[in-house]
Amino acid sequence: MGIYRDPVRSSHGHFVKASGLRWINLMLLAPVPWAGRVWALPFLSALACLSAVDFR
């Protein structure tokens, strides 16, 4: 767990902190013809280990 900047609720002059877990995601970029754009489809997700709590 950690404290991160919330990009949705923060602005240039206002900093909002949020606590939570940090995830690493691998995405498959797939063109979707009816959407007219490329979609990023997650196919592998893992929790990122923080060095402070990494038990080696």
Side-chain angles (χ1 to χ4, degrees), residues 6-7 9-10 13 15 21-22 28 32 37 40 44 46 50:
D6 188 345
R9 296 185 292 165
S10 296
F15 183 82
L21 302 173
R22 186 166 289 208
L28 174 68
V32 180
R37 60 179 57 197
L44 180 66
L50 300 175

Side-chain angles (χ1 to χ4, degrees), residues 8 10 12-13 16 23 47 54-55:
V8 175
S10 296
H12 180 67
V16 177
W23 289 87
L47 270 174
D54 191 10
F55 301 106

Side-chain angles (χ1 to χ4, degrees), residues 8-55:
V8 175
R9 296 185 292 165
S10 296
S11 66
H12 180 67
H14 183 68
F15 183 82
V16 177
K17 293 185 269 183
S19 62
L21 302 173
R22 186 166 289 208
W23 289 87
I24 297 174
N25 297 307
L26 287 176
M27 310 295 258
L28 174 68
L29 298 177
V32 180
W34 65 86
R37 60 179 57 197
V38 175
W39 285 9
L41 305 172
F43 69 93
L44 180 66
S45 297
L47 270 174
C49 294
L50 300 175
S51 60
V53 294
D54 191 10
F55 301 106

